[in-house]
Amino acid sequence: MTESRERSPHRVAVVTASNRAAAGVYPDRSGPVIVERLRDLGFTVVGPWVVSDGPPVTAALLRAHGEGADAVLTTGGTGLTPQDRTPEATRPLLSFEVPGISEALRAAGRDKGIPTAILSRGLAGVVERDGHSMLVVNLPGSRGGVRDGMDVLAPVLRHAVDQMRGGDHPRSE
């Protein structure tokens, strides 16, 4: 477990879903991109945890919830290959989805000229269990997709966590 040096009240776990990286065939390439960006944004970061796709993703999400994470960003397993099962591992845990996040992630890729971005099946939603709420966002598995996704999330992630904690919209006076 790796945590940022500057502690934030917002704790975000990073989970990489990759059968090959989990088996040691190659190193995790997208998880570290998320970790670096989250740290730059001032979040306390846990991970990345590298797991195989499917049920191990569910286990990692439950672990993050049990450890009190406010959010989990996953990378990988959102495409159309038979192994891509991150959305299926995520959906049963969600109390409700936040479709605007997923839609914005796909649109950002498409708008940057990456037509395959619309093939991502990534979800975003909130897990509510045992009195604790945790945002989950499925990002693509590529470094470019993760960078684009973090550009979408950067201005809203802290606000989303604050709202889950009962906060209100910032008010201008």
Side-chain angles (χ1 to χ4, degrees):
M1 176 164 82
T2 2
E3 293 193 16
S4 68
R5 291 180 283 302
E6 297 177 26
R7 305 243 346 138
S8 164
H10 298 86
R11 187 173 157 90
V12 182
V14 177
V15 175
T16 299
S18 170
N19 294 331
R20 290 177 285 182
V25 174
Y26 56 68
D28 173 16
R29 294 181 181 103
S30 56
V33 173
I34 299 171
V35 169
E36 181 179 345
R37 187 69 184 276
L38 287 169
R39 286 184 177 152
D40 289 347
L41 293 168
F43 290 96
T44 297
V45 182
V46 179
W49 301 328
V50 180
V51 299
S52 296
D53 210 339
V57 173
T58 303
L61 295 175
L62 290 171
R63 174 184 172 190
H65 186 274
E67 292 187 14
D70 296 299
V72 178
L73 304 183
T74 70
T75 174
T78 63
L80 303 179
T81 73
Q83 307 87 286
D84 289 332
R85 293 292 175 247
T86 298
E88 289 76 14
T90 302
R91 183 172 275 120
L93 300 177
L94 299 180
S95 299
F96 58 90
E97 291 187 31
V98 184
I101 294 174
S102 307
E103 293 163 4
L105 292 169
R106 285 185 279 274
R110 181 201 61 221
D111 293 349
K112 285 187 87 172
I114 304 161
T116 55
I118 65 169
L119 298 178
S120 174
R121 299 178 309 109
L123 300 174
V126 176
V127 176
E128 296 177 318
R129 298 172 74 127
D130 306 321
H132 175 66
S133 296
M134 178 181 78
L135 179 67
V136 178
V137 179
N138 300 152
L139 296 171
S142 69
R143 287 179 293 199
V146 163
R147 281 193 282 277
D148 293 345
M150 290 306 300
D151 288 345
V152 170
L153 291 174
V156 299
L157 185 56
R158 188 173 312 279
H159 180 64
V161 170
D162 289 342
Q163 278 199 308
M164 288 186 322
R165 292 176 171 178
D168 200 356
H169 294 283
R171 300 190 190 283
S172 56
E173 309 211 28

